[in-house]
Amino acid sequence: MSNNINSSIKCTVEQCKHHCDSSDYCTLNCITVGTHEANPTVDQCTDCLSFER
Ligand code: SF4
């Protein structure tokens, strides 16, 4: 984790290595969002594909 906040990407997944230490933001310059569903209908169907433990 680092403190290089990207203020354009809010995120609450504290377990991700790209999450900011001190606030709910991502530290990457860019992320990829995808889905694990054939026909996504709600936000729970989407995933951050840039997540790393
Ligand atoms: S890579 Fe995705 S899950 Fe990880 S901190 Fe950034 S937005 Fe959140």
Side-chain angles (χ1 to χ4, degrees):
M1 292 192 286
S2 90
N3 289 309
N4 187 28
I5 293 172
N6 182 339
S7 60
S8 297
I9 306 176
K10 296 189 76 172
C11 179
T12 60
V13 186
E14 296 178 356
Q15 295 80 4
C16 179
K17 69 182 285 188
H18 302 301
H19 191 268
C20 172
D21 290 339
S22 53
S23 58
D24 283 342
Y25 287 94
C26 184
T27 58
L28 295 177
N29 291 328
C30 176
I31 64 166
T32 300
V33 177
T35 183
H36 53 271
E37 302 283 350
N39 182 26
T41 54
V42 292
D43 60 344
Q44 288 87 351
C45 299
T46 64
D47 308 290
C48 178
L49 301 181
S50 301
F51 172 89
E52 291 187 80
R53 185 71 178 96

